Amino acid sequence: MQNFARFTTSRRNFLDKPKNRRAWLFAGLLLPILLLLFFTSAPKHYHSFRRLRQRLQAPQDGQCKYGTIYVYDLPPIFNQKLLDNCYDLDPWTSLCKTLSNDGFGPKATGLDGIMPRDLTQAWYWTHMFSGEVMFHARISNYRCRTYDPDSATAFYIPFYAGLATAKYLYGNSSASERDSQCESLLKWVTGQPSWKRSKGADHFIMLGRMSWDFRRNTDEKWGSSFLLMPPMRQTLKLSIERNPWDRSEISVPYPTGFHPKSKAELESWLKFVRTRNRSKLFTYVGGRRKKIKNDFRVLLLDQCRKEADSCKAVDCSKTPCAEGTPAVLESFLDSNFCLQPRGDAYTRRSTFDCMLAGSIPVFFWKRSIHGQFEWFMRDDPERFSVFIGENKVRNGTSIKKILQGYGIEEIQMMRERVTNLIPTILYAMPGDDGENSRDAFETAFEGVLRRLKEQKQLSQQ
């Protein structure tokens, strides 16, 4: 008690001095302000203590055999400000809900009757063009991220080029308007010491749209000329459809709706699709496009409806399909094969929705799969898919008769090959336990590091 009395008296005497009282008052006011500034200025996907802890940890020895990635801290106008203006990125609808949750989107609903309830927790309505936001969030917590640019093997540019370009795709904007933000980004990044050392040869970027949206070579109305700008020639580009004649482009899977948080969730899904009882031979999910003469999709939709006993059709001109719906997912889960015509580009998100459900894709253009997604498929497309030439169908060939030519054992073998590819074509949700699955994120990051490391070794020989 005497010690406590002495401490109390000493504390009271200390605070009785005006100078000391002012110091404590100033400290008490300053601390909350500093904490508020810290948490409000950090990117939204750093707001958990687990992620903050990861940010302070350097990569462990032996964990990153191909090197590490440095992530540029871009001015917010090139990423966060675009998200803040999510209501203004699409002329028809707000993308705020779509781009929420680090790009994974809102939780999926209406799936209870389609799959076991415990599996529905891993499903989200993810937009196919949200990859830039998803990649930025995941790489920010990548185990091989470094905060020391001098030690980095690769440099990631977290510019949301697809979102920046999308705003001007459907209006009467000028070419200079469509290129403005891309030019500003390149002005900033080419001024960085890390860029100047390599002229961008060890830099990479993720593009959330097809390559063709960034390759406008005249003043035509569609797209930007971002990928044709000189600084981008050496930079490695990840996109959901690559230009097959550009070696600096790598195609990555389209985002789908299944984002497991653990290996247990993934294994449960794989078991579910392997044992699913499929009542239809094939399915077609797609919409009619009235402005396109002799639209191939109309032929597929008509064939499917004529063979209703064997084919299940989902008309996306009547059922919204962009972020996925219960009807789309159920259609793929109920069918052994799924028809995959080209869309606005040769590839489509539907291919990955189909394969994620354990269904075998049927292609009509070689370029829909050949030369695309090679880091992720790890197999000859002919072993896990079917090819029927577009002209054959236009000339009256029955898709049903061709697919009926595959025996039960052959179908099971192809479906198993599709199922084995699922882990590397999905984008996993970061788990609370920090567990890293070998998903599309991991495959892409390691592939970039491996390629840039090998590229550097060759240049030194």
Side-chain angles (χ1 to χ4, degrees):
M1 289 296 292
Q2 291 177 348
N3 289 337
F4 179 75
R6 282 197 297 270
F7 169 76
T8 304
T9 301
S10 175
R11 178 176 177 272
R12 184 168 55 249
N13 291 338
F14 178 81
L15 294 176
D16 282 342
K17 297 179 180 179
K19 182 178 180 180
N20 292 334
R21 284 203 305 271
R22 286 196 297 271
W24 277 97
L25 179 62
F26 177 75
L29 291 172
L30 182 60
L31 182 60
I33 294 173
L34 290 174
L35 289 172
L36 180 64
L37 287 173
F38 174 78
F39 283 108
T40 56
S41 63
K44 291 183 179 180
H45 35 263
Y46 294 142
H47 281 190
S48 74
F49 288 110
R50 181 180 64 83
R51 295 181 182 183
L52 181 60
R53 185 179 68 248
Q54 289 178 338
R55 185 177 182 182
L56 297 175
Q57 292 175 338
Q60 299 178 3
D61 292 339
Q63 192 179 32
C64 308
K65 63 179 179 179
Y66 297 113
T68 56
I69 298 173
Y70 179 82
V71 182
Y72 278 116
D73 185 14
L74 297 182
I77 192 174
F78 298 120
N79 43 47
Q80 187 57 52
K81 288 293 185 182
L82 289 166
L83 290 184
D84 293 342
N85 295 323
C86 52
Y87 55 85
D88 195 33
L89 297 176
D90 187 292
W92 296 288
T93 184
S94 168
L95 295 182
C96 295
K97 191 174 182 180
T98 296
L99 296 174
S100 65
N101 193 22
D102 286 337
F104 289 96
K107 281 274 192 179
T109 56
L111 301 180
D112 286 348
I114 298 173
M115 65 184 72
R117 180 167 292 183
D118 60 321
L119 286 175
T120 64
Q121 300 304 309
W123 278 88
Y124 299 77
W125 295 140
T126 305
H127 197 280
M128 66 177 180
F129 293 146
S130 64
E132 294 159 344
V133 184
M134 294 167 60
F135 266 76
H136 188 193
R138 179 64 174 265
I139 204 169
S140 296
N141 298 287
Y142 184 44
R143 68 180 186 282
C144 293
R145 178 184 180 181
T146 180
Y147 292 87
D148 176 15
D150 293 330
S151 68
T153 305
F155 294 82
Y156 180 63
I157 307 169
F159 172 41
Y160 301 166
L163 298 185
T165 301
K167 181 177 179 179
Y168 302 102
L169 287 179
Y170 304 99
N172 294 319
S173 57
S174 65
S176 60
E177 284 178 311
R178 281 172 274 155
D179 289 342
S180 175
Q181 205 156 2
C182 297
E183 291 172 341
S184 297
L185 177 279
L186 290 178
K187 182 178 180 180
W188 185 92
V189 78
T190 54
Q192 304 305 306
S194 301
W195 178 282
K196 292 178 179 179
R197 285 198 298 266
S198 67
K199 298 189 184 303
D202 52 5
H203 285 55
F204 73 105
I205 188 171
M206 194 279 162
L207 304 172
R209 301 182 68 92
M210 291 76 77
S211 174
W212 320 109
D213 290 342
F214 306 97
R215 290 183 172 275
R216 190 199 72 250
N217 54 17
T218 65
D219 285 344
E220 61 191 21
K221 294 183 178 180
W222 185 264
S224 81
S225 61
F226 184 41
L227 296 188
L228 301 181
M229 296 176 185
M232 292 301 294
R233 289 174 184 167
Q234 290 196 85
T235 303
L236 194 62
K237 283 83 69 175
L238 306 178
S239 64
I240 54 176
E241 178 174 322
R242 67 181 288 264
N243 173 4
W245 295 280
D246 187 345
R247 289 197 67 256
S248 68
E249 280 193 52
I250 305 296
S251 52
V252 299
Y254 282 73
T256 58
F258 181 57
H259 307 294
K261 288 185 178 180
S262 66
K263 290 182 178 178
E265 280 188 339
L266 173 59
E267 291 300 326
S268 294
W269 178 256
L270 296 179
K271 181 179 179 181
F272 172 67
V273 298
R274 281 189 175 107
T275 57
R276 174 79 173 189
N277 182 29
R278 299 178 187 253
S279 59
K280 299 291 183 180
L281 178 64
F282 64 111
T283 186
Y284 174 61
V285 175
R288 299 172 181 269
R289 296 178 295 179
K290 296 179 181 179
K291 294 182 180 181
I292 297 180
K293 187 177 180 180
N294 299 322
D295 185 12
F296 186 69
R297 295 185 180 197
V298 174
L299 295 179
L300 298 185
L301 197 57
D302 289 344
Q303 275 212 31
C304 188
R305 284 175 170 165
K306 289 177 183 177
E307 305 288 358
D309 59 326
S310 301
C311 185
K312 188 170 186 176
V314 177
D315 187 349
C316 292
S317 59
K318 298 179 180 179
T319 301
C321 301
E323 290 99 36
T325 64
V328 170
L329 179 56
E330 188 171 31
S331 179
F332 289 137
L333 285 169
D334 285 346
S335 306
N336 281 315
F337 296 92
C338 56
L339 308 185
Q340 296 298 327
R342 62 165 295 173
D344 296 323
Y346 281 98
T347 62
R348 32 187 337 233
R349 174 213 166 117
S350 179
T351 297
F352 294 92
D353 290 330
C354 151
M355 295 178 68
L356 192 64
S359 188
I360 303 164
V362 180
F363 298 110
F364 304 90
W365 282 266
K366 290 283 188 180
R367 283 179 59 184
S368 293
I369 188 63
H370 287 270
Q372 302 285 348
F373 318 114
E374 293 168 317
W375 285 2
F376 307 87
M377 296 301 191
R378 310 185 321 274
D379 205 345
D380 184 344
E382 293 179 0
R383 286 167 48 83
F384 63 82
S385 66
V386 173
F387 177 75
I388 304 173
E390 170 211 3
N391 289 332
K392 284 188 175 181
V393 179
R394 289 192 183 276
N395 291 332
T397 296
S398 169
I399 296 172
K400 176 181 176 179
K401 286 184 178 179
I402 292 177
L403 298 181
Q404 283 179 328
Y406 289 86
I408 295 176
E409 290 185 2
E410 193 171 6
I411 290 174
Q412 289 177 338
M413 187 179 299
M414 293 176 73
R415 278 188 50 207
E416 182 62 23
R417 289 171 185 153
V418 168
T419 304
N420 288 338
L421 294 175
I422 289 176
T424 53
I425 64 172
L426 63 81
Y427 295 98
M429 179 75 74
D432 294 334
D433 56 3
E435 182 180 18
N436 290 308
S437 63
R438 181 73 179 178
D439 65 346
F441 286 124
E442 292 281 326
T443 303
F445 298 153
E446 185 174 297
V448 167
L449 286 168
R450 182 176 61 249
R451 177 161 168 171
L452 292 180
K453 184 176 182 179
E454 292 172 353
Q455 183 176 293
K456 184 177 181 180
Q457 291 173 339
L458 286 173
S459 67
Q460 294 174 342
Q461 290 179 357

Coordinates of all heavy atoms in Angstrom, one line a residue, residues 397-425:
T397 N -24.6 -31.0 -89.9 CA -24.1 -32.1 -89.0 C -24.8 -32.1 -87.7 O -24.9 -31.1 -87.1 CB -22.6 -32.1 -88.8 OG1 -21.9 -32.2 -90.1 CG2 -22.1 -33.1 -87.9
S398 N -25.3 -33.3 -87.2 CA -25.9 -33.4 -85.9 C -24.9 -33.5 -84.8 O -24.1 -34.4 -84.8 CB -26.8 -34.6 -85.9 OG -27.3 -34.9 -84.6
I399 N -24.9 -32.5 -83.9 CA -24.0 -32.5 -82.8 C -24.4 -33.7 -81.9 O -23.5 -34.4 -81.4 CB -24.2 -31.2 -82.0 CG1 -23.7 -30.0 -82.8 CG2 -23.4 -31.3 -80.7 CD1 -23.9 -28.7 -82.2
K400 N -25.6 -34.0 -81.7 CA -26.1 -35.1 -80.9 C -25.5 -36.4 -81.4 O -24.9 -37.2 -80.6 CB -27.6 -35.2 -80.9 CG -28.1 -36.4 -80.1 CD -29.6 -36.5 -80.1 CE -30.2 -37.7 -79.4 NZ -31.7 -37.8 -79.5
K401 N -25.5 -36.7 -82.7 CA -25.0 -37.9 -83.2 C -23.5 -38.1 -83.0 O -23.0 -39.2 -82.7 CB -25.3 -38.0 -84.7 CG -26.7 -38.3 -85.0 CD -27.0 -38.5 -86.5 CE -28.4 -38.9 -86.8 NZ -28.7 -39.0 -88.2
I402 N -22.7 -37.0 -83.1 CA -21.3 -37.0 -82.8 C -21.0 -37.4 -81.4 O -20.2 -38.2 -81.1 CB -20.6 -35.7 -83.2 CG1 -20.7 -35.5 -84.8 CG2 -19.2 -35.6 -82.7 CD1 -20.1 -34.2 -85.2
L403 N -21.7 -36.7 -80.5 CA -21.5 -36.9 -79.1 C -21.9 -38.3 -78.6 O -21.4 -38.9 -77.7 CB -22.1 -35.8 -78.2 CG -21.6 -34.4 -78.5 CD1 -22.4 -33.4 -77.6 CD2 -20.1 -34.3 -78.3
Q404 N -23.0 -38.8 -79.3 CA -23.4 -40.2 -78.9 C -22.4 -41.2 -79.3 O -22.5 -42.4 -78.9 CB -24.8 -40.5 -79.6 CG -26.0 -39.8 -78.9 CD -27.3 -40.1 -79.7 OE1 -27.3 -40.3 -80.9 NE2 -28.4 -40.2 -78.9
G405 N -21.4 -40.8 -80.2 CA -20.4 -41.8 -80.6 C -19.4 -42.1 -79.5 O -18.5 -43.0 -79.7
Y406 N -19.4 -41.3 -78.5 CA -18.5 -41.5 -77.3 C -19.1 -42.5 -76.4 O -20.2 -42.3 -75.9 CB -18.1 -40.2 -76.6 CG -17.3 -39.3 -77.4 CD1 -17.8 -38.4 -78.4 CD2 -15.9 -39.3 -77.3 CE1 -17.0 -37.5 -79.1 CE2 -15.1 -38.4 -78.1 CZ -15.7 -37.6 -79.0 OH -14.9 -36.7 -79.7
G407 N -18.3 -43.6 -76.0 CA -18.8 -44.6 -75.1 C -18.8 -44.1 -73.7 O -18.1 -43.1 -73.3
I408 N -19.5 -44.8 -72.8 CA -19.5 -44.4 -71.4 C -18.2 -44.3 -70.7 O -17.9 -43.3 -70.0 CB -20.4 -45.4 -70.6 CG1 -21.9 -45.4 -71.1 CG2 -20.4 -45.1 -69.1 CD1 -22.8 -46.4 -70.5
E409 N -17.3 -45.3 -71.0 CA -16.0 -45.3 -70.4 C -15.1 -44.1 -70.9 O -14.4 -43.5 -70.1 CB -15.3 -46.6 -70.6 CG -15.8 -47.8 -69.9 CD -15.0 -49.1 -70.1 OE1 -14.0 -49.0 -70.8 OE2 -15.4 -50.1 -69.6
E410 N -15.3 -43.8 -72.2 CA -14.5 -42.7 -72.8 C -15.0 -41.4 -72.2 O -14.2 -40.5 -71.9 CB -14.7 -42.7 -74.3 CG -13.7 -41.8 -75.0 CD -13.8 -42.0 -76.5 OE1 -14.7 -42.7 -77.0 OE2 -13.0 -41.3 -77.2
I411 N -16.3 -41.2 -72.0 CA -16.8 -40.0 -71.4 C -16.3 -39.9 -69.9 O -15.9 -38.8 -69.5 CB -18.4 -40.0 -71.4 CG1 -18.9 -39.9 -72.9 CG2 -18.9 -38.9 -70.5 CD1 -20.4 -40.0 -73.0
Q412 N -16.3 -41.0 -69.2 CA -15.9 -40.9 -67.8 C -14.4 -40.5 -67.8 O -14.0 -39.8 -66.9 CB -16.1 -42.3 -67.1 CG -17.6 -42.6 -66.9 CD -17.8 -43.9 -66.3 OE1 -16.9 -44.8 -66.4 NE2 -18.9 -44.1 -65.6
M413 N -13.6 -41.0 -68.7 CA -12.2 -40.7 -68.7 C -11.9 -39.3 -69.0 O -11.1 -38.6 -68.4 CB -11.5 -41.6 -69.8 CG -9.9 -41.5 -69.7 SD -9.2 -42.6 -71.0 CE -9.7 -44.2 -70.4
M414 N -12.7 -38.7 -70.0 CA -12.6 -37.3 -70.3 C -13.0 -36.4 -69.2 O -12.4 -35.4 -68.9 CB -13.3 -37.0 -71.6 CG -12.7 -37.7 -72.9 SD -13.7 -37.4 -74.4 CE -13.3 -35.7 -74.7
R415 N -14.1 -36.8 -68.6 CA -14.6 -36.0 -67.4 C -13.6 -36.0 -66.3 O -13.5 -35.0 -65.6 CB -16.0 -36.6 -67.0 CG -17.2 -36.1 -67.8 CD -18.5 -36.5 -67.2 NE -18.5 -36.1 -65.8 CZ -19.2 -36.7 -64.8 NH1 -20.0 -37.8 -65.2 NH2 -19.2 -36.3 -63.6
E416 N -12.9 -37.1 -66.1 CA -11.9 -37.2 -65.0 C -10.8 -36.2 -65.3 O -10.2 -35.6 -64.5 CB -11.4 -38.6 -64.9 CG -10.4 -38.8 -63.7 CD -11.0 -38.4 -62.4 OE1 -12.2 -38.4 -62.2 OE2 -10.1 -38.1 -61.5
R417 N -10.4 -36.2 -66.6 CA -9.3 -35.2 -67.0 C -9.7 -33.8 -66.8 O -8.9 -33.0 -66.4 CB -8.9 -35.5 -68.5 CG -8.2 -36.8 -68.7 CD -8.0 -37.1 -70.2 NE -7.4 -38.4 -70.4 CZ -7.6 -39.1 -71.5 NH1 -8.4 -38.6 -72.5 NH2 -7.1 -40.3 -71.7
V418 N -11.0 -33.5 -67.1 CA -11.5 -32.1 -66.8 C -11.5 -31.8 -65.4 O -11.0 -30.8 -64.9 CB -12.9 -32.0 -67.4 CG1 -13.6 -30.7 -66.9 CG2 -13.0 -32.0 -68.9
T419 N -11.9 -32.8 -64.5 CA -12.0 -32.6 -63.1 C -10.6 -32.4 -62.5 O -10.4 -31.6 -61.6 CB -12.7 -33.8 -62.4 OG1 -14.0 -34.0 -63.0 CG2 -12.8 -33.6 -60.9
N420 N -9.6 -33.1 -63.1 CA -8.2 -32.9 -62.6 C -7.7 -31.5 -62.9 O -6.7 -31.1 -62.2 CB -7.3 -34.0 -63.2 CG -7.6 -35.4 -62.7 OD1 -8.1 -35.5 -61.6 ND2 -7.2 -36.4 -63.4
L421 N -8.2 -30.8 -63.8 CA -7.8 -29.5 -64.2 C -8.4 -28.4 -63.3 O -7.9 -27.3 -63.3 CB -8.1 -29.2 -65.7 CG -7.3 -30.0 -66.7 CD1 -7.8 -29.7 -68.1 CD2 -5.8 -29.8 -66.6
I422 N -9.5 -28.7 -62.6 CA -10.2 -27.7 -61.9 C -9.3 -27.0 -60.9 O -9.4 -25.7 -60.8 CB -11.4 -28.4 -61.1 CG1 -12.5 -28.8 -62.2 CG2 -12.0 -27.4 -60.1 CD1 -13.7 -29.5 -61.6
P423 N -8.5 -27.6 -60.1 CA -7.7 -26.8 -59.1 C -6.9 -25.7 -59.7 O -6.7 -24.6 -59.0 CB -6.8 -27.9 -58.5 CG -7.6 -29.2 -58.6 CD -8.2 -29.0 -60.0
T424 N -6.4 -25.8 -60.9 CA -5.5 -24.8 -61.4 C -6.3 -23.8 -62.3 O -5.7 -22.8 -62.8 CB -4.4 -25.4 -62.3 OG1 -4.9 -26.3 -63.2 CG2 -3.4 -26.1 -61.3
I425 N -7.6 -24.0 -62.6 CA -8.3 -23.0 -63.3 C -9.3 -22.2 -62.5 O -10.0 -21.3 -63.0 CB -9.1 -23.7 -64.5 CG1 -10.2 -24.6 -64.0 CG2 -8.2 -24.4 -65.5 CD1 -11.1 -25.1 -65.0

